[in-house]
Amino acid sequence: MSLLELFVMSYPTATLLLSCPDRPGIAAAVTSYLFERGTNVVHAEQHVDVQAGIFFQRVEVEIENLSGTLDEFEIGFAVIAESFAMEFKIRLSTERPRVAILCSKQGHCTYDLLARWSLGEIPAQLAFVASNHETLREPTERAGYDFHHLPVDPANKELQQETLRRLLVDNDIDLVIMARYMQVLPARVVDLFPSQIINIHHSFLPAFPGSKPYHQAHARGVKLIGVTAHYATVALDEGPIIEQEVIRVTHRHSPEELVQKGRDLETIVLARAVKAHINNQVLVYGNKTVVFG
Amino acid sequence: MSLLELFVMSYPTATLLLSCPDRPGIAAAVTSYLFERGTNVVHAEQHVDVQAGIFFQRVEVEIENLSGTLDEFEIGFAVIAESFAMEFKIRLSTERPRVAILCSKQGHCTYDLLARWSLGEIPAQLAFVASNHETLREPTERAGYDFHHLPVDPANKELQQETLRRLLVDNDIDLVIMARYMQVLPARVVDLFPSQIINIHHSFLPAFPGSKPYHQAHARGVKLIGVTAHYATVALDEGPIIEQEVIRVTHRHSPEELVQKGRDLETIVLARAVKAHINNQVLVYGNKTVVFG
Amino acid sequence: MSLLELFVMSYPTATLLLSCPDRPGIAAAVTSYLFERGTNVVHAEQHVDVQAGIFFQRVEVEIENLSGTLDEFEIGFAVIAESFAMEFKIRLSTERPRVAILCSKQGHCTYDLLARWSLGEIPAQLAFVASNHETLREPTERAGYDFHHLPVDPANKELQQETLRRLLVDNDIDLVIMARYMQVLPARVVDLFPSQIINIHHSFLPAFPGSKPYHQAHARGVKLIGVTAHYATVALDEGPIIEQEVIRVTHRHSPEELVQKGRDLETIVLARAVKAHINNQVLVYGNKTVVFG
Amino acid sequence: MSLLELFVMSYPTATLLLSCPDRPGIAAAVTSYLFERGTNVVHAEQHVDVQAGIFFQRVEVEIENLSGTLDEFEIGFAVIAESFAMEFKIRLSTERPRVAILCSKQGHCTYDLLARWSLGEIPAQLAFVASNHETLREPTERAGYDFHHLPVDPANKELQQETLRRLLVDNDIDLVIMARYMQVLPARVVDLFPSQIINIHHSFLPAFPGSKPYHQAHARGVKLIGVTAHYATVALDEGPIIEQEVIRVTHRHSPEELVQKGRDLETIVLARAVKAHINNQVLVYGNKTVVFG
């Protein structure tokens, strides 16, 4: 158990993430309830999208002195939620959601995620790694995780997708990480996991969607290259953006060197997005996200 | 009147900035009061420094439907504040605090601030610019602002400081901006304006305090140079930091080129700190700041 | 005269910027010639685009001990250039190219450039500022520069463009800066100034070309906004990119706040591109640039 | 063999890195020699530190059509070098220097380096990983590399250092990477590997040298934290800086969270410095470096 894990176990907190149509009194109702239940707010942030008329809030509370059980706490909150037509999620800092990594041949994101899991940096359970190639079986199994090879060929495409879907469902997966998976997920997978599939695209979207974005960037002569972590939707590279980052490049860099430089960005931005999601910091509305700090 | 100003006038908001010893119920009390008074929260953020046991909050509310007067609102809030041993400031978006700029010979920060005032970007009144040199009189007066020349020499140092002090007091100054003033302010000025004097230091503090920081940075061979905006205290370059930024440099840059590159950083970081202060985003505690987003 | 100017006057250098089809011996021929002529290399960089087979070089030399006149130096170099089918430009550090600024109503870039000229930061002559609005006449004339009002309406569009073209030609303009001019320049102006018109576009191109890019960026929910300085071509927002920069934004920022945040980026990136161009650091090939450090 | 490796093998280049007292004619002599020997310059950069009077150059050449052997090439160049009192290093792109990693308990840098080796990203041979703790034996051996446990206690300190020294010498190590080793290397090790030991320090040096820099940074309330990769010297945290990077933090981050945020910076900055060193991009002079792009 890492120090971070030990810390989390000793001082459990609950994070409340919610949104609803804006109207006066929401914040007062929420904070009053949290106070009555004996919790203490450690950090809170709320925001109103004035144009869209939506209220967003994230509250992190210490629950050491919670009056009653967690179930009672949640049931009580559901009453408030209903009166404001709220959608909400509560996450305990001790929870460990179940995660699946999808990858292909390129290893940098998967190596990085495996290292973070080995170091206890990600508060989640890694259920398995699946890939359409065998390339990353060895590092996955060496790190002690299950690996599933799901080869794709034109003839079996639908069958492969169905196998993947079942694997995700049978393993009670809460979050799917596309760590440079390079395959489009079909609607029947995407629809099962709304705002639960994170993809890393190797460009600063909406610039350079589609394939070979570093080569596109090189051809256009941009002075910065970027990467984008976003929730997967059926429309390729168009889902809600969670995190983006860029790095400076010059005329000296060949497309191959852009690929090299981009690798570090991809691993970091994907890891940041995964952590933000697991820490209950991300709310999706329309095709956008609110990412609380 | 700029579009920004027009917007602010049409949709007035109030910003509440507060801190107090942490204990359960603070957030509930504050938000309930704001709700009862008919205000609507647009954005709010609260934070607890768990080690120090201090609660910090910034709340921005629409006051279109305020029940009662602003004075009544403030008096009512003072009651809550007292019960929690709170320090607080309320700022209306229509307020225009009075600002003085102190400068020396180097013009980049002052030119930049004058331009921002001309463009209506800073929601404050510029009372005057004062300097120990005549260099920046012309651009100041051309832009329509008062300029005071307060020459310094070893013989008159105390007298000059006293003249400055009186100028600040007589003009009801709320915020002093040291735009590369290059003179140390004495305790009798600093003490009059606690957390109301913003200085820009041309290094990434605490690296390279004191004079000629770009030359120090060059000698040390750093790969990034930085600047720091902080509240002035009697201890030179040691006050609470409000904002910092860096830029990449290489072996190619001479000290003179570092000075050139640093200029843009200085103007931007100083402007950011000034805006954050005026928008009631900055709370000082100990030798640190909370800067709400 | 600023310190920078004084420095440049006292230690004159020449910068040679060249490109040609790659083949062995180019660097040897160039450096040998520079040595024979008594110059001393201060900084040099050369690069080969291996795919395109083009050689690029920038050399900065001290010319204190030049043997012969500058004209002889240039004539001698032309012989080498011809033998390698080279295109080249030589710029003396004491030269002051003639610049025109085009702007519209928004003032931030123009105020910033005027300040840089007042502070002696740009080694060029500002011939005039021209605009389709009167808004920026006052700050321009206060700073001591000529202002031309060239109003546009649907009826006079061609006439206005012709007036502008003549103004640029009659004033021997070497560089045109579009400081948020908001008007498309017609081919008959663009073609006269190949790679001599710098535009600032307020997005990270190729994302969000066209109008209201900050609003487009807000609608897409990006986590970074950017700006792009590029040479103007007849295809809107598609010319060779000189410089780009981004800044982090969050869900909290309204489109209006993105506009505010973008301003500082625009002024800085435009100023960087202008300086790079004037310092003979930029080579255009195809639709891309080589920008030497 | 990775694609990168394959590429390097197929198109071998040589990189020449040199410095000498500045005087006219150096560049001409070097480029003429390179041309005569049948090499073709792919990229070159030269720089003069005018204050110090030192000339620096890095040239990368294709050696497909080299006339004569590499030994003859090097002997021929040594003649030129002598006449200019030059120090120089030649590196072939096919060379694989021998590297040792030193680490302690914290695994993030070592995991990251092991992954880069597994992915064929670092053009060098990893001879072994050594540590004063057993913590990282497992991931090292799983990845197929030797691990040496060199425990330290107050009684055996000198003996341990001697064991380490011999291990480095016996393994013909060219580069030592201190991947958060947390032990000071004694002069008898440092002196054996001048500018061949790279350390990662978890602060933006010269700010916060010594131990617990993130805690120091937290106490000072900085708004950016940084890391520094530098060559180790006997003076702790004072060697020549190779690379630095920073990341934004806020009042919200506890010291523990700064530690977390800093990890990604440490791995990336260390990896960048290691790559720059191995690619013959770094020259040390005085207590500074020239890092060619």
Side-chain angles (χ1 to χ4, degrees), chain B residues 175-186:
Chain B
L175 173 66
V176 179
I177 305 175
M178 298 175 74
R180 299 294 309 273
Y181 179 49
M182 314 300 277
Q183 300 286 321
V184 178
L185 291 183

PDB file of all heavy atoms in Angstrom, chain B residues 175-186:
ATOM      1  N   LEU B 175      -4.802  51.210  -3.778  1.00  0.00           N
ATOM      2  CA  LEU B 175      -3.831  50.239  -4.285  1.00  0.00           C
ATOM      3  C   LEU B 175      -2.644  50.972  -4.907  1.00  0.00           C
ATOM      4  O   LEU B 175      -2.828  51.889  -5.721  1.00  0.00           O
ATOM      5  CB  LEU B 175      -4.491  49.364  -5.367  1.00  0.00           C
ATOM      6  CG  LEU B 175      -3.547  48.408  -6.113  1.00  0.00           C
ATOM      7  CD1 LEU B 175      -3.006  47.331  -5.175  1.00  0.00           C
ATOM      8  CD2 LEU B 175      -4.268  47.762  -7.294  1.00  0.00           C
ATOM      9  N   VAL B 176      -1.450  50.563  -4.506  1.00  0.00           N
ATOM     10  CA  VAL B 176      -0.218  51.136  -5.065  1.00  0.00           C
ATOM     11  C   VAL B 176       0.430  50.079  -5.961  1.00  0.00           C
ATOM     12  O   VAL B 176       0.627  48.943  -5.522  1.00  0.00           O
ATOM     13  CB  VAL B 176       0.765  51.533  -3.947  1.00  0.00           C
ATOM     14  CG1 VAL B 176       2.051  52.114  -4.548  1.00  0.00           C
ATOM     15  CG2 VAL B 176       0.111  52.502  -2.977  1.00  0.00           C
ATOM     16  N   ILE B 177       0.742  50.441  -7.193  1.00  0.00           N
ATOM     17  CA  ILE B 177       1.408  49.514  -8.114  1.00  0.00           C
ATOM     18  C   ILE B 177       2.849  49.963  -8.314  1.00  0.00           C
ATOM     19  O   ILE B 177       3.102  51.060  -8.818  1.00  0.00           O
ATOM     20  CB  ILE B 177       0.715  49.482  -9.492  1.00  0.00           C
ATOM     21  CG1 ILE B 177      -0.773  49.149  -9.348  1.00  0.00           C
ATOM     22  CG2 ILE B 177       1.402  48.468 -10.416  1.00  0.00           C
ATOM     23  CD1 ILE B 177      -1.549  49.223 -10.659  1.00  0.00           C
ATOM     24  N   MET B 178       3.797  49.126  -7.884  1.00  0.00           N
ATOM     25  CA  MET B 178       5.210  49.432  -8.102  1.00  0.00           C
ATOM     26  C   MET B 178       5.622  48.834  -9.446  1.00  0.00           C
ATOM     27  O   MET B 178       5.984  47.671  -9.532  1.00  0.00           O
ATOM     28  CB  MET B 178       6.049  48.856  -6.975  1.00  0.00           C
ATOM     29  CG  MET B 178       5.693  49.452  -5.610  1.00  0.00           C
ATOM     30  SD  MET B 178       6.607  48.651  -4.258  1.00  0.00           S
ATOM     31  CE  MET B 178       8.250  49.348  -4.505  1.00  0.00           C
ATOM     32  N   ALA B 179       5.554  49.682 -10.480  1.00  0.00           N
ATOM     33  CA  ALA B 179       5.792  49.221 -11.848  1.00  0.00           C
ATOM     34  C   ALA B 179       7.273  49.399 -12.179  1.00  0.00           C
ATOM     35  O   ALA B 179       7.630  50.219 -12.995  1.00  0.00           O
ATOM     36  CB  ALA B 179       4.894  50.003 -12.811  1.00  0.00           C
ATOM     37  N   ARG B 180       8.126  48.578 -11.560  1.00  0.00           N
ATOM     38  CA  ARG B 180       9.586  48.697 -11.634  1.00  0.00           C
ATOM     39  C   ARG B 180      10.019  50.038 -11.034  1.00  0.00           C
ATOM     40  O   ARG B 180      10.705  50.837 -11.666  1.00  0.00           O
ATOM     41  CB  ARG B 180      10.081  48.566 -13.081  1.00  0.00           C
ATOM     42  CG  ARG B 180       9.770  47.253 -13.756  1.00  0.00           C
ATOM     43  CD  ARG B 180      10.502  46.077 -13.115  1.00  0.00           C
ATOM     44  NE  ARG B 180      11.913  46.318 -12.974  1.00  0.00           N
ATOM     45  CZ  ARG B 180      12.837  46.074 -13.904  1.00  0.00           C
ATOM     46  NH1 ARG B 180      12.473  45.526 -15.031  1.00  0.00           N
ATOM     47  NH2 ARG B 180      14.092  46.354 -13.688  1.00  0.00           N
ATOM     48  N   TYR B 181       9.635  50.275  -9.745  1.00  0.00           N
ATOM     49  CA  TYR B 181       9.948  51.546  -9.081  1.00  0.00           C
ATOM     50  C   TYR B 181      11.414  51.600  -8.665  1.00  0.00           C
ATOM     51  O   TYR B 181      12.010  52.664  -8.590  1.00  0.00           O
ATOM     52  CB  TYR B 181       9.025  51.730  -7.875  1.00  0.00           C
ATOM     53  CG  TYR B 181       9.252  52.986  -7.081  1.00  0.00           C
ATOM     54  CD1 TYR B 181       9.341  54.239  -7.701  1.00  0.00           C
ATOM     55  CD2 TYR B 181       9.357  52.942  -5.689  1.00  0.00           C
ATOM     56  CE1 TYR B 181       9.530  55.389  -6.951  1.00  0.00           C
ATOM     57  CE2 TYR B 181       9.536  54.086  -4.944  1.00  0.00           C
ATOM     58  CZ  TYR B 181       9.635  55.308  -5.571  1.00  0.00           C
ATOM     59  OH  TYR B 181       9.833  56.445  -4.821  1.00  0.00           O
ATOM     60  N   MET B 182      12.027  50.478  -8.348  1.00  0.00           N
ATOM     61  CA  MET B 182      13.453  50.366  -8.071  1.00  0.00           C
ATOM     62  C   MET B 182      13.895  51.060  -6.783  1.00  0.00           C
ATOM     63  O   MET B 182      15.090  51.206  -6.531  1.00  0.00           O
ATOM     64  CB  MET B 182      14.291  50.927  -9.246  1.00  0.00           C
ATOM     65  CG  MET B 182      13.861  50.469 -10.629  1.00  0.00           C
ATOM     66  SD  MET B 182      13.944  48.680 -10.836  1.00  0.00           S
ATOM     67  CE  MET B 182      15.680  48.484 -11.238  1.00  0.00           C
ATOM     68  N   GLN B 183      12.945  51.510  -5.968  1.00  0.00           N
ATOM     69  CA  GLN B 183      13.256  52.097  -4.675  1.00  0.00           C
ATOM     70  C   GLN B 183      12.566  51.262  -3.605  1.00  0.00           C
ATOM     71  O   GLN B 183      11.456  50.791  -3.819  1.00  0.00           O
ATOM     72  CB  GLN B 183      12.723  53.539  -4.574  1.00  0.00           C
ATOM     73  CG  GLN B 183      13.278  54.498  -5.611  1.00  0.00           C
ATOM     74  CD  GLN B 183      14.714  54.876  -5.314  1.00  0.00           C
ATOM     75  OE1 GLN B 183      15.091  55.072  -4.156  1.00  0.00           O
ATOM     76  NE2 GLN B 183      15.544  54.926  -6.351  1.00  0.00           N
ATOM     77  N   VAL B 184      13.227  51.091  -2.456  1.00  0.00           N
ATOM     78  CA  VAL B 184      12.599  50.382  -1.354  1.00  0.00           C
ATOM     79  C   VAL B 184      11.637  51.329  -0.639  1.00  0.00           C
ATOM     80  O   VAL B 184      11.985  52.477  -0.363  1.00  0.00           O
ATOM     81  CB  VAL B 184      13.672  49.862  -0.370  1.00  0.00           C
ATOM     82  CG1 VAL B 184      13.019  49.167   0.803  1.00  0.00           C
ATOM     83  CG2 VAL B 184      14.635  48.922  -1.090  1.00  0.00           C
ATOM     84  N   LEU B 185      10.426  50.853  -0.392  1.00  0.00           N
ATOM     85  CA  LEU B 185       9.464  51.671   0.353  1.00  0.00           C
ATOM     86  C   LEU B 185       9.712  51.476   1.849  1.00  0.00           C
ATOM     87  O   LEU B 185       9.898  50.359   2.318  1.00  0.00           O
ATOM     88  CB  LEU B 185       8.038  51.267   0.010  1.00  0.00           C
ATOM     89  CG  LEU B 185       7.550  51.593  -1.401  1.00  0.00           C
ATOM     90  CD1 LEU B 185       6.090  51.193  -1.551  1.00  0.00           C
ATOM     91  CD2 LEU B 185       7.719  53.077  -1.708  1.00  0.00           C
ATOM     92  N   PRO B 186       9.706  52.575   2.623  1.00  0.00           N
ATOM     93  CA  PRO B 186       9.977  52.462   4.062  1.00  0.00           C
ATOM     94  C   PRO B 186       8.756  51.927   4.816  1.00  0.00           C
ATOM     95  O   PRO B 186       7.635  51.958   4.295  1.00  0.00           O
ATOM     96  CB  PRO B 186      10.259  53.902   4.457  1.00  0.00           C
ATOM     97  CG  PRO B 186       9.429  54.704   3.525  1.00  0.00           C
ATOM     98  CD  PRO B 186       9.416  53.949   2.219  1.00  0.00           C
TER      99      PRO B 186
END
